[in-house]
Amino acid sequence: MSRRPFHRAGEAERRHDLIAATLDCIFERGLQGATVREIAARAGVTQGLIRHYFSSKDQMLQAAYKEVMAGMTRDAAVVDESLKDARTRLRAFIIANLTPPVVDGRTLSLWAAFISHVRVDPVFAEIHRDGYLAFRTALERLVADVLAEAGQDPDPSECREFAIAINGMIDGLWLEGTLVGDLFSKTPLSGIAIRSVEALLGGIRLTGNEEPS
Amino acid sequence: MSRRPFHRAGEAERRHDLIAATLDCIFERGLQGATVREIAARAGVTQGLIRHYFSSKDQMLQAAYKEVMAGMTRDAAVVDESLKDARTRLRAFIIANLTPPVVDGRTLSLWAAFISHVRVDPVFAEIHRDGYLAFRTALERLVADVLAEAGQDPDPSECREFAIAINGMIDGLWLEGTLVGDLFSKTPLSGIAIRSVEALLGGIRLTGNEEPS
DNA sequence: TCCGTAATTATTCAAGCGTATAATAACGAT
DNA sequence: ATCGTTATTATACGCTTGAATAATTACGGA
């Protein structure tokens, strides 16, 4: 009876691997399928190791949720600062949020699995709140820039209202577009969103060139 | 050792009670907290009875999901046909979906808990799809009526695009409004939505009277 | 009034869960 | 080379889970 050989990985690497394995489990079999044993097996370690890096399974799930939110924010907020026009930046922001990798079955699965915990566990609620506010704040600033660029006087509360509405629409389109995506094959979501935002902002065009195929 | 007394309830009543107990459990403790034993206890029966009415726990959860979706559709689609103006009907539709009982912590909890299963279990996917399409179809018709009423020629594909956008915004506002509702205390969601839809549809006013406090 | 049916309770079972603890071996320091 | 540290494995514990089965009792129809 020989013991299984192993190698000592760096703490950061191990934690990352464990979280990645956790997310794989959640994606494929839901939160219920993310058991300590299954996660350990997928990470190629034994279950005891999990408790060596996380004080409990719950704490590991929280870390995993943080990583998901951070990933979504990172992908979503890639608004190249070099783009001079605010309109172009807002357009890029919308497109980034309504195309892969944000619009993606895996991302949605993870998001949905965790969102059901937001109202049960206060720690999850805080993680969600932080992510939401970061997103909306970025959007609010973009809207203010666009309005200013169009020569309007951007009333802060007005900008916020626009941001809330646009944020809602992006969230909803992202959600339904991913859940029942096959229903949207004909018309790209990002196109709908852009035209809608243009109308919402009072007819400001977000693009000079026609939209791509 | 005397056996616990009981009474034989009608099948419909028992099934309803069991589903109600299931939803209570999910609301308070999430899907993971909805165990057969806990549900039975809350329904005032013993756990064996559940298997007498449902062939498995999964099947009972599916029935519960159907009931949640049906409830949301029922509450949401209360568009009084007697309202003559299509604009008034659309306005009522939007308000109904962005005020209680649709905007409600319990409704969201249940929705969120189930949505995470949509991508794991095909049966749940079908239930969701049916609900979504019913909702969007109703909205599509309302939009067509409003545009026709405004003297425009309602191109079907244009109506659908409007419906998708509006549906997305309602979904997103509903979701975020319930999740982080305290952030919206100042400005009512339904007001934001109505003004946004007005802009979206090209400036059509949905109301003659000013909005309530 | 009695009796058959089936709705309901009571009990049991095997599997899987998160957690705890002890043994071991990999690897850096010396 | 050797040693000490600790990352990692191995094993076990107690509990909960969904499901299965057997025993009962409520209730309608004769």
Side-chain angles (χ1 to χ4, degrees):
Chain A
M1 301 291 269
S2 70
R3 221 163 219 246
R4 173 211 282 207
F6 61 94
H7 89 280
R8 297 160 93 101
E11 170 165 346
E13 180 189 351
R14 264 285 186 258
R15 292 177 82 95
H16 172 267
D17 285 352
L18 289 175
I19 288 182
T22 302
L23 297 182
D24 283 349
C25 286
I26 296 175
F27 168 55
E28 290 183 18
R29 303 175 46 196
L31 256 186
Q32 327 234 15
T35 69
V36 171
R37 282 167 176 82
E38 179 71 22
I39 293 168
R42 208 168 288 234
V45 298
T46 52
Q47 50 172 322
L49 192 58
I50 286 181
R51 284 290 309 270
H52 188 265
Y53 283 100
F54 300 94
S55 62
S56 74
K57 185 196 172 189
D58 272 350
Q59 204 227 314
M60 185 173 60
L61 287 181
Q62 290 159 8
Y65 186 33
K66 276 181 194 156
E67 187 153 309
V68 169
M69 290 293 273
M72 289 181 69
T73 305
R74 191 185 322 117
D75 292 335
V78 181
V79 179
D80 193 344
E81 292 290 341
S82 68
L83 294 175
K84 40 200 174 316
D85 294 7
R87 290 172 302 177
T88 310
R89 289 204 303 276
L90 177 56
R91 184 167 183 271
F93 183 88
I94 295 171
I95 291 179
N97 278 284
L98 290 175
T99 49
V102 176
V103 172
D104 171 77
R106 181 183 161 91
T107 305
L108 176 94
S109 285
L110 299 175
W111 176 88
F114 283 123
I115 209 69
S116 64
H117 257 46
V118 166
R119 287 193 60 91
V120 173
D121 185 334
V123 178
F124 281 76
E126 187 184 338
I127 298 172
H128 172 82
R129 185 194 186 89
D130 291 347
Y132 170 77
L133 277 181
F135 189 92
R136 199 184 77 183
T137 302
L139 187 51
E140 207 169 321
R141 175 163 180 182
L142 274 175
V143 168
D145 289 350
V146 167
L147 290 181
E149 197 174 275
Q152 301 185 20
D153 188 25
D155 175 1
S157 78
E158 196 186 12
C159 288
R160 166 154 302 179
E161 181 168 327
F162 279 136
I164 291 174
I166 295 173
N167 179 37
M169 192 168 60
I170 290 177
D171 275 4
L173 287 180
W174 169 78
L175 180 65
E176 300 296 354
T178 317
L179 273 179
V180 286
D182 49 321
L183 298 177
F184 297 98
S185 50
K186 287 178 63 179
T187 318
L189 283 179
S190 55
I192 297 180
I194 289 175
R195 285 190 291 278
S196 300
V197 169
E198 287 174 345
L200 216 75
L201 295 179
I204 295 178
R205 294 287 290 176
L206 294 183
T207 171
N209 35 356
E210 283 312 299
E211 66 194 24
S213 59
Chain B
M1 300 290 268
S2 68
R3 220 162 218 247
R4 177 213 283 209
F6 62 94
H7 91 281
R8 297 159 92 101
E11 171 167 346
E13 180 189 352
R14 263 285 186 259
R15 293 177 82 95
H16 172 267
D17 285 352
L18 289 175
I19 288 182
T22 302
L23 296 182
D24 284 348
C25 285
I26 295 176
F27 167 55
E28 289 182 18
R29 304 173 47 196
L31 257 187
Q32 329 234 16
T35 67
V36 170
R37 282 168 176 80
E38 179 71 22
I39 292 168
R42 210 169 287 236
V45 298
T46 52
Q47 50 172 323
L49 193 58
I50 287 182
R51 284 290 309 276
H52 188 262
Y53 283 100
F54 301 93
S55 63
S56 74
K57 185 195 172 189
D58 273 351
Q59 204 226 320
M60 185 172 62
L61 288 181
Q62 289 159 9
Y65 185 33
K66 276 181 193 156
E67 187 152 309
V68 169
M69 289 292 272
M72 289 181 68
T73 305
R74 190 185 322 118
D75 292 335
V78 180
V79 179
D80 193 343
E81 291 291 340
S82 70
L83 295 174
K84 39 198 176 315
D85 296 3
R87 290 171 304 179
T88 311
R89 289 206 302 276
L90 177 55
R91 184 169 183 269
F93 184 88
I94 295 171
I95 290 179
N97 278 284
L98 290 174
T99 50
V102 177
V103 172
D104 171 77
R106 181 183 163 91
T107 305
L108 177 95
S109 287
L110 300 176
W111 176 89
F114 284 122
I115 209 69
S116 64
H117 256 46
V118 165
R119 288 194 60 91
V120 172
D121 185 335
V123 178
F124 280 76
E126 187 184 339
I127 298 172
H128 172 82
R129 185 194 187 89
D130 289 349
Y132 170 77
L133 277 181
F135 189 92
R136 199 183 78 183
T137 302
L139 187 51
E140 207 170 321
R141 174 163 183 184
L142 274 174
V143 169
D145 289 351
V146 167
L147 291 182
E149 198 174 274
Q152 302 186 19
D153 189 24
D155 174 0
S157 77
E158 196 187 12
C159 288
R160 166 153 303 179
E161 179 167 326
F162 279 137
I164 292 174
I166 295 173
N167 179 35
M169 191 167 61
I170 290 177
D171 275 4
L173 287 179
W174 168 78
L175 180 65
E176 300 298 354
T178 317
L179 274 178
V180 287
D182 48 320
L183 298 177
F184 298 98
S185 51
K186 288 177 65 179
T187 319
L189 283 179
S190 55
I192 296 180
I194 289 175
R195 286 189 290 278
S196 300
V197 169
E198 288 174 345
L200 217 75
L201 295 178
I204 296 178
R205 294 286 290 175
L206 293 183
T207 171
N209 34 357
E210 283 313 299
E211 66 193 23
S213 60

